[in-house]
Amino acid sequence: MSLLVVGSVAFDALESPYGKVDRTLGGAATYFSVAASFFTPVNLVGIVGDDFTEKDAAIFRGRHIDVEGLERVPGKSFFWAGKYSENLNERVTLATELNVFADFKPRLPERYRASKYVFLANIAPDLQRDVLQQVTKRPKIAALDTMNYWIERSNADLRETLRHVDILMINDIETRQLSNEHNLLRAARHIFKMGPSTLIVKRGEYGAMMVDARGVFCVPAFPLEEPHDPTGAGDCFAGGFMGYLASAGNRGDASLRRAMVYGSVLGSFCVEKFGLDRLRTLKRSEIHGRARHFAKLTQFKL
Ligand code: AMP
């Protein structure tokens, strides 16, 4: 089933205790679409500048990723710089340069307008809404990610966009910031009043939690001895989650739970190497192998 994503395609500068890169391809929509394309074809909407070369675009080739919706304009692509703490749990943003994103007016190619699954990756909430409005029929699932940058700068816009989405997928700090609630279950109740009926809280090395009217479901993060760079893990989680759901074609409880596991699987591969490096070589068989490992990891008898 068709899966649409809008979000950043970017260049990142990354620093972790395991190394440093001054400029590498990144962006939420890039991580998301590569992760999701292991399950289903993806239509990508975004914008890049003329510093984005054919070599950069190679990440999308040979995968089921349609880039007709990736606009190319004169100027510099979105740039983000981040630095991780010793234990990789905290990160500071050193730079966010919107560049060509500042004047971006997303325009969906005709073929994308009937998308049944839509992921609004972390980008300005008015752009997320703009994309949603161009989808002709209400999608089966519209999910949204955001971050402190937008919660602080564009709160009213974000609230308006949230009224039209089914799933909110954010990390624990953002959940608390958006809801003004420390307890995540109480935070979920607040967030349900804003529009989404499902909240997925990404908790880094502590896994992820899904809350909806049926209750709570948790998946661990895959235990890794040497994670290198958490950048993009949240977007890969979202890609695995939405990609699996779109391929399953329904939003029943069993599918949502399996989607949580595939999200966690993709997130775990992402952090094994810097930037997109691990995803470049990842194989479907490895994904399914790790999903089976997850089942063992959490199996017990009562
Ligand atoms: P994550 O680690 O999942 O939060 O995603 C990291 C990716 O998000 C990086 O590759 C950045 O290029 C991108 N990113 C960081 N800040 C923003 C922002 N304010 N808007 C859109 N994308 C961003």
Side-chain angles (χ1 to χ4, degrees), residues 29-40:
T30 314
Y31 283 103
F32 177 93
S33 51
V34 173
S37 68
F38 286 101
F39 301 90
T40 197

Side-chain angles (χ1 to χ4, degrees), residues 66-203:
D66 188 306
V67 291
E68 194 193 331
L70 181 63
E71 210 180 309
R72 292 159 190 251
V73 295
K76 276 172 76 178
S77 301
F78 183 93
F79 175 77
W80 177 79
K83 184 177 174 183
Y84 293 88
S85 63
E86 205 56 41
N87 61 11
L88 298 181
N89 281 337
E90 277 120 50
R91 131 175 136 187
V92 283
T93 289
L94 303 174
T96 299
E97 296 171 13
L98 295 179
N99 298 327
V100 293
F101 251 114
D103 302 313
F104 182 42
K105 293 269 169 294
R107 204 164 312 279
L108 264 58
E110 203 50 47
R111 298 178 289 116
Y112 291 13
R113 290 175 189 253
S115 296
K116 293 269 177 284
Y117 293 81
V118 177
F119 185 68
L120 308 166
N122 171 28
I123 193 69
D126 58 329
L127 297 186
Q128 294 175 316
R129 196 164 64 243
D130 200 353
V131 164
L132 211 47
Q133 280 162 353
Q134 292 177 54
V135 176
T136 40
K137 259 176 75 186
R138 204 192 185 302
K140 278 194 176 174
I141 293 186
L144 179 146
D145 185 11
T146 191
M147 71 187 291
N148 58 351
Y149 186 88
W150 306 113
I151 297 172
E152 287 154 20
R153 284 176 177 71
S154 315
N155 198 276
D157 253 326
L158 177 60
R159 296 290 185 115
E160 178 52 33
T161 307
L162 279 175
R163 289 177 52 221
H164 308 282
V165 305
D166 307 291
I167 302 181
L168 176 64
M169 234 185 266
I170 49 181
N171 72 28
D172 40 3
I173 298 167
E174 293 151 0
T175 303
R176 292 181 174 120
Q177 192 180 13
L178 179 65
S179 64
N180 279 320
E181 268 290 353
H182 185 79
N183 180 283
L184 294 177
L185 294 178
R186 278 209 299 273
R189 278 213 303 278
H190 270 272
I191 286 168
F192 295 157
K193 287 187 202 132
M194 297 177 193
S197 53
T198 302
L199 170 69
I200 294 174
V201 186
K202 298 172 286 182
R203 311 184 67 197

